[in-house]
Amino acid sequence: MSSHSTNPGGAPRVRRRALLGTAVLAVLVALAGLAAYVTRDGRTPSKAPAPQASSASPSSTASASASSRPHGSLGDLPVPPSTHDPIAFGKAAAAALWSYDTRAYSQRELVAALRGWLTSEKKYADTASVDALVPSRALWKQMAANGQFATAKVNEAHFPDSFTQALQADPGAITTAYVYAVTVSGKQSIAWKGSSHGGAENRVTTLAVQCRPSQSCALAGVLPAVAP
């Protein structure tokens, strides 16, 4: 999905982002770039390549396989799975973040649905990093005029090497927040009215996933740099 320019600002958001970064940092001490995440001032949310509103003439609607969507048929808003497996949750979350359908729901509805994936522990929930991956309302309107939609296929997900190494060195470090780093790779396919094939791009992202033993996994945020 695309990002749009926002200005989160404010001490509360900075503190939440710092807490999330600190939680991940506890088990990712070797990961370059996390220090920048912890010290970010909150004015530069995570970004992803922006989908372009198609200028194709509306002569026909491109077909897409419903199986490429992680949550039911094309057009469904994403619903988080009930799982205690951070890898499985990371795959589902990445697919949800890479998918959208301007024909089926509004930008506001998608934002609300994705926020439903976030942990209820507000101090660890980086809402801005998730919101930044949704096209702005203005761009969404242009995309909707062309019936643009995107589907996602997840190829693989894993704990970054630095995560596993740090966890092995200090297994108890994760028990404060139970936030795991999960790197997910896959492909996003975009189509619109009048397109016969659309376009596709490879995607890779590192997510912060909270999985406490007593509750299902939830999304904590999207890290600004990919951890291999």
Side-chain angles (χ1 to χ4, degrees):
M1 283 190 192
S2 72
S3 65
H4 62 279
S5 177
T6 59
N7 184 357
R13 190 175 299 281
V14 174
R15 284 195 295 271
R16 285 196 297 272
R17 185 155 297 171
L19 282 166
L20 174 59
T22 300
V24 179
L25 186 62
V27 285
L28 284 173
V29 293
L31 178 60
L34 269 197
Y37 185 65
V38 175
T39 59
R40 284 166 65 190
D41 62 8
R43 292 193 295 271
T44 54
S46 304
K47 293 186 179 295
Q52 300 299 315
S54 167
S55 59
S57 60
S59 58
S60 64
T61 302
S63 63
S65 171
S67 63
S68 63
R69 288 294 291 260
H71 309 290
S73 62
L74 186 67
D76 290 345
L77 284 165
V79 178
S82 178
T83 179
H84 294 276
D85 182 351
I87 295 293
F89 187 90
K91 287 181 176 181
L97 292 168
W98 296 338
S99 304
Y100 60 85
D101 191 347
T102 65
R103 306 166 304 173
Y105 43 75
S106 68
Q107 187 261 12
R108 181 177 296 180
E109 288 174 322
L110 179 57
V111 169
L114 292 176
R115 288 184 179 182
W117 289 65
L118 288 164
T119 174
S120 59
E121 297 183 44
K122 300 303 182 182
K123 63 182 179 179
Y124 296 123
D126 186 2
T127 306
S129 69
V130 174
D131 289 354
L133 299 181
V134 180
S136 68
R137 291 184 184 179
L139 179 56
W140 186 276
K141 184 176 180 179
Q142 296 178 44
M143 293 161 58
N146 291 304
Q148 189 165 317
F149 60 96
T151 58
K153 179 180 180 181
V154 172
N155 296 326
E156 186 270 343
H158 64 275
F159 296 131
D161 290 341
S162 51
F163 179 95
T164 56
Q165 292 169 7
L167 191 58
Q168 289 169 1
D170 185 4
I174 201 169
T175 59
T176 299
Y178 285 96
V179 174
Y180 299 79
V182 180
T183 295
V184 188
S185 62
K187 180 173 290 186
Q188 182 191 57
S189 299
I190 300 175
W192 51 86
K193 290 185 296 185
S195 68
S196 57
H197 300 291
E201 292 187 29
N202 292 325
R203 290 282 185 265
V204 60
T205 189
T206 299
L207 306 175
V209 177
Q210 185 182 53
C211 295
R212 290 195 181 277
S214 59
Q215 58 195 45
S216 297
C217 295
L219 184 62
V222 183
L223 299 188
V226 174

